[in-house]
Amino acid sequence: MAVATLTLSSKNYSSWSLRGWLLCRLAGLRVVEQMVALDDPENRAELLLLSPSVLVPRLTHEGASVWDTLAIAEYLHELYPNVGMYPADRKARAHCRSVSGEIHSGFANLRSALPMNLKVRHSKFPVFPGARPDIERVETIWAECLDSYGGPWLFGDEPTVADAMFAPVAQRFLTYAVAVSRKSADYCETINSWPLMREWIEDARAEPDEMIELETEF
């Protein structure tokens, strides 16, 4: 059987790489990780939000090459429809796809104001006012899901594609000590305590490289 390869960017800075990796692990697909160097021009452009497209992560599996996180999710769901990547209920599944698509395509102000950085924790951080509506919308999504499906994950007892998509946002809130509701804070801790998240964070902290542009100090 051909070995699946997942091309990744920085584990410390790349929210998209985290999403793709979590999706593969949720599906139970073991992959060989292939890292792209931080000094690669296209990689830096993506991490600094200067590129109109995001080509990493990229899953290569049995002749298929898939590089968009939602495309990766759908590809894995087709391969492994019974592992629970999406809720079993039709309406909940549609809801899961909707919120996953929303975080995938929007929230530009949040991304730029709170860049992903898993190596640091700020006790105080001035959040750009333009990011506040994005933060409020994320909290609304989380509250609706947690209230509707009972938590601790967005769609019930087990993590789904939606949790993989929102995991980087939860980590951003923790990194920058964003003031959120108790419900949102509890969800952030659920993500942070996730064994898969802890594994990723450990690898991120071991990365030697730094991008000065993303090392904000306040």
Side-chain angles (χ1 to χ4, degrees):
M1 182 180 295
V3 175
T5 300
L6 186 66
T7 303
L8 300 169
S9 181
S10 167
K11 289 194 173 184
N12 187 48
Y13 300 114
S14 177
S15 58
W16 298 109
S17 291
L18 170 58
R19 291 181 174 109
W21 185 85
L22 287 173
L23 291 168
C24 289
R25 294 297 293 270
L26 279 176
L29 177 65
R30 292 290 176 172
V31 298
V32 173
E33 298 177 16
Q34 186 174 72
M35 304 302 295
V36 179
L38 274 185
D39 58 3
D40 178 85
E42 292 184 1
N43 184 31
R44 291 183 71 86
E46 289 180 10
L47 289 172
L48 295 172
L49 307 180
L50 299 176
S51 172
S53 62
V54 178
L55 302 179
V56 175
R58 178 187 296 268
L59 175 64
T60 305
H61 176 256
E62 296 184 351
S65 181
V66 196
W67 64 86
D68 178 272
T69 48
L70 284 184
I72 290 172
E74 293 298 330
Y75 177 79
L76 293 170
H77 179 59
E78 287 182 13
L79 284 178
Y80 308 106
N82 300 317
V83 299
M85 295 190 69
Y86 288 103
D89 177 77
R90 175 181 59 84
K91 291 186 289 185
R93 191 163 60 250
H95 190 186
C96 183
R97 283 192 165 104
S98 295
V99 299
S100 297
E102 186 173 349
I103 193 62
H104 177 271
S105 60
F107 300 90
N109 286 338
L110 188 155
R111 298 183 205 281
S112 60
L114 306 174
M116 176 108 151
N117 190 335
L118 297 175
K119 291 184 181 181
V120 301
R121 285 289 182 96
H122 296 274
S123 59
K124 293 183 179 179
F125 190 86
V127 179
F128 171 59
R132 287 292 175 187
D134 284 358
I135 294 170
E136 291 169 3
R137 177 56 188 157
V138 166
E139 287 209 82
T140 297
I141 291 171
W142 289 357
E144 288 175 348
C145 290
L146 294 168
D147 289 344
S148 296
Y149 307 105
W153 303 95
L154 292 179
F155 287 86
D157 294 334
E158 299 294 336
T160 64
V161 167
D163 299 290
M165 295 300 294
F166 278 97
V169 180
Q171 291 300 148
R172 282 176 160 102
F173 287 177
L174 291 170
T175 292
Y176 297 102
V178 177
V180 294
S181 70
R182 180 72 263 164
K183 190 185 299 289
S184 293
D186 288 345
Y187 177 67
C188 288
E189 286 303 326
T190 294
I191 291 292
N192 195 51
S193 300
W194 192 4
L196 295 181
M197 191 72 246
R198 301 314 306 170
E199 181 180 343
W200 180 274
I201 290 173
E202 183 177 350
D203 288 347
R205 289 176 175 167
E207 283 186 347
D209 298 318
E210 291 187 352
M211 293 186 67
I212 301 302
E213 301 94 327
L214 296 177
E215 293 296 332
T216 52
E217 293 290 345
F218 291 90

